[in-house]
Amino acid sequence: MTVELISVGTEILMGNIVNTNAAFLSAQCVALGLSCYHQSVVGDNEGRMEEAMQTALSRSELVLISGGLGPTRDDLTKEVAAKVMEKKLVMDMRTRDRIQAYFDRIKRPDITENNWKQAVVPEGAIVLDNDNGTAPGLILEKEGKAMILLPGPPGELLPLFQKKVRPYLEQLQEEKMYSCMVKICSVGESRAETMVADLLEGQTNPTIAPYAKTGEVHFRITAREKTQEAAELLMEPVLKEMKRRFGSRIYTVREEETLEEVVVRLLEQGRLTITTVESCTGGLLSGQLVNVPGASKVLERGFVTYSNEAKIQMVGVSPVTLEEMGAVSQETAEEMAEGGRKAAGADVGISITGVAGPGGGTEEKPVGMVCMACSIRGEIRRETFYFSGDREKIRKSSVVQGLNLIREELLKYLEGQISGESA
């Protein structure tokens, strides 16, 4: 079944807001097994909106439209949709009562006349109650095709879709799409795709799709089946083969799990604490760890040692090391990690120091050169990376590789602990 998305709003066309609704709806449609071949954005103009809707209906069975259901004069989605679907507008008393109750609940007695505009619906439409706003969602059906109208604010659209629209769409599909995500670090996009080139060729069901992220590569494995159990059986051999090829470079196969969550989980598993010592990333790494609920159990503290003086005073880097090897060097990174770990009384220390650019690079130490070290109770691993891109990308890439360095060393440490206990 084909679906087309139309996002309504001049503010989207002008770039005033980011169209997150389209991204959400696209992902939901894929998960439901719907084929989406076209998306469009149209401003608050009656003629262009009508043209967009007619075009969408001519080539798709379902049309999902977001935005333009508000109470103001330029909110025209419902009116244009009724015209296209040849339905007259009528007052829906249940929606009117809900609007009244909404304003009573927020203690606003001054309901203006245009608020009642949202209680006017196309005749015969399926009205979807909006528990987070005053504009209901609407489903208009005609001759085997349907238009689904959703309010624009994400705080209203997302829950309304999940509670009301998704069940409606599920009834239309005999088969659904089920997927899992294989998330990989320490392998570039080109190499990762080459490693599974034979799996990508001639695939039908399940399928593998690569997605490049900053410092990571994700592969979505998707199967079309009637039940999740049947889909998982189809995906299992592919997932097993991916694990065989990428090994420990895979940090999770759970779509919702992030790299920083994996690191925090490993620290908790080993009952270890960590401290960060950052130069060019300026606290971004510790910030990523803090994003994880419960990080306070493992994150002891973070040092931002941007200047040489800070490296000396806060974490005890030797002035001789800085003078002879420079701030961007494996030797300095090692002393930062170990010095920070000891200063904080933590089990693990991670350090990052580099040239983020756009200036400051030399022939020996170009922009993008970043040195890192990870110390776990005195056992230290040093690495140097060469990243490309602008300052922001270099810093973000550094954080990803820093997290992965911690992950890899924690896996070795925990494996050693288990081996020691077994012995």
Side-chain angles (χ1 to χ4, degrees):
M1 182 172 286
T2 56
V3 61
E4 184 158 341
L5 307 184
I6 300 176
S7 303
V8 175
T10 302
E11 66 277 13
I12 301 175
L13 280 175
M14 299 291 288
N16 298 131
I17 63 171
V18 177
N19 191 4
T20 56
N21 287 340
F24 168 79
L25 292 173
S26 296
Q28 294 298 314
C29 288
V30 169
L32 287 164
L34 300 168
S35 299
C36 183
Y37 302 127
H38 299 90
Q39 295 185 23
S40 61
V41 178
V42 62
D44 303 300
N45 177 277
E46 183 175 354
R48 289 190 284 274
M49 287 171 65
E50 182 177 352
E51 180 184 6
M53 291 180 193
Q54 292 283 16
T55 300
L57 280 175
S58 71
R59 60 193 180 192
S60 302
E61 297 158 277
L62 292 169
V63 182
L64 273 173
I65 306 173
S66 60
L69 298 181
T72 60
R73 190 173 298 178
D74 63 343
D75 290 309
L76 302 168
T77 299
K78 176 176 53 185
E79 289 76 9
V80 177
K83 180 181 177 182
V84 169
M85 298 292 275
E86 299 179 334
K87 298 179 182 294
K88 67 178 182 179
L89 293 167
V90 296
M91 176 63 71
D92 181 61
M93 294 309 298
R94 186 171 183 279
T95 299
R96 185 183 176 97
D97 291 343
R98 285 178 61 83
I99 292 173
Q100 180 69 63
Y102 176 85
F103 279 98
D104 290 344
R105 188 165 63 251
I106 63 174
K107 302 187 184 304
R108 276 189 53 191
D110 54 331
I111 303 178
T112 57
E113 192 60 33
N114 61 355
N115 285 120
W116 301 124
K117 174 177 181 281
Q118 294 179 302
V120 176
V121 305
E123 189 173 34
I126 300 172
V127 180
L128 310 174
D129 294 338
N130 181 358
D131 296 327
N132 298 282
T134 54
L138 299 164
I139 300 176
L140 287 64
E141 299 174 322
K142 181 186 176 185
E143 299 174 356
K145 297 198 174 187
M147 271 190 180
I148 303 175
L149 280 52
L150 294 166
E156 298 178 32
L157 181 145
L158 271 65
L160 188 58
F161 182 92
Q162 297 286 27
K163 292 179 182 178
K164 306 291 173 64
V165 177
R166 188 182 178 94
Y168 170 83
L169 295 176
E170 285 176 340
Q171 294 176 1
L172 305 179
Q173 290 287 89
E174 288 187 11
E175 292 183 332
K176 301 179 182 66
M177 303 288 274
Y178 299 93
S179 64
C180 67
M181 189 74 83
V182 178
K183 299 185 178 182
I184 299 166
C185 273
S186 296
V187 183
E189 179 186 5
S190 299
R191 180 159 181 249
E193 189 167 339
T194 300
M195 289 173 69
V196 294
D198 59 315
L199 300 179
L200 296 173
E201 292 176 4
Q203 56 183 342
T204 53
N205 187 26
T207 59
I208 307 172
Y211 300 87
K213 306 287 182 180
T214 300
E216 302 181 30
V217 179
H218 297 178
F219 287 96
R220 182 184 292 279
I221 305 172
T222 304
R224 186 191 297 270
E225 266 293 349
K226 291 184 178 181
T227 66
Q228 183 168 346
E229 291 76 15
E232 287 176 352
L233 284 174
L234 274 179
M235 292 187 288
E236 186 177 352
V238 179
L239 183 57
K240 185 177 180 180
E241 182 61 19
M242 295 282 280
K243 288 181 177 178
R244 187 187 71 79
R245 297 188 186 194
F246 289 102
S248 63
R249 295 187 183 98
I250 298 175
Y251 70 82
T252 187
V253 293
R254 295 170 54 199
E255 183 165 4
E256 70 279 4
E257 189 168 45
T258 63
L259 182 55
E260 55 265 30
E261 287 174 333
V262 171
V263 169
V264 170
R265 174 167 51 80
L266 290 172
L267 287 164
E268 289 177 334
Q269 183 179 333
R271 297 182 179 179
L272 301 169
T273 57
I274 188 170
T275 190
T276 61
V277 186
E278 302 178 64
S279 185
C280 63
T281 48
L284 284 179
L285 176 57
S286 60
Q288 285 294 103
L289 292 172
V290 170
N291 283 340
V292 181
S296 58
K297 297 176 184 177
V298 299
L299 180 59
E300 179 60 38
R301 71 189 69 178
F303 297 97
V304 177
T305 58
Y306 203 64
S307 67
N308 285 353
E309 290 76 12
K311 292 176 178 65
I312 295 167
Q313 294 172 10
M314 298 174 71
V315 295
V317 174
S318 166
V320 175
T321 301
L322 290 167
E323 176 66 27
E324 294 182 354
M325 310 307 299
V328 181
S329 64
Q330 287 191 350
E331 290 78 8
T332 295
E334 178 177 331
E335 291 187 21
M336 288 168 65
E338 184 64 358
R341 186 185 72 79
K342 290 180 177 178
D347 301 299
V348 182
I350 179 71
S351 66
I352 301 178
T353 178
V355 187
T362 65
E363 189 173 339
E364 287 187 354
K365 298 180 180 181
V367 170
M369 176 181 170
V370 179
C371 298
M372 303 181 192
C374 180
S375 170
I376 301 183
R377 293 179 174 172
E379 292 293 323
I380 301 171
R381 174 182 163 188
R382 312 185 310 187
E383 292 287 348
T384 298
F385 299 93
Y386 294 89
F387 302 117
S388 60
D390 61 12
R391 182 179 179 85
E392 181 180 6
K393 185 180 179 184
I394 289 169
R395 295 174 74 223
K396 287 182 177 179
S397 297
S398 300
V399 169
V400 173
Q401 289 301 331
L403 287 168
N404 191 56
L405 178 59
I406 302 166
R407 181 187 71 89
E408 291 178 347
E409 292 307 292
L410 285 172
L411 287 173
K412 292 178 187 176
Y413 174 82
L414 293 173
E415 186 178 345
Q417 293 293 104
I418 293 171
S419 300
E421 289 174 3
S422 300

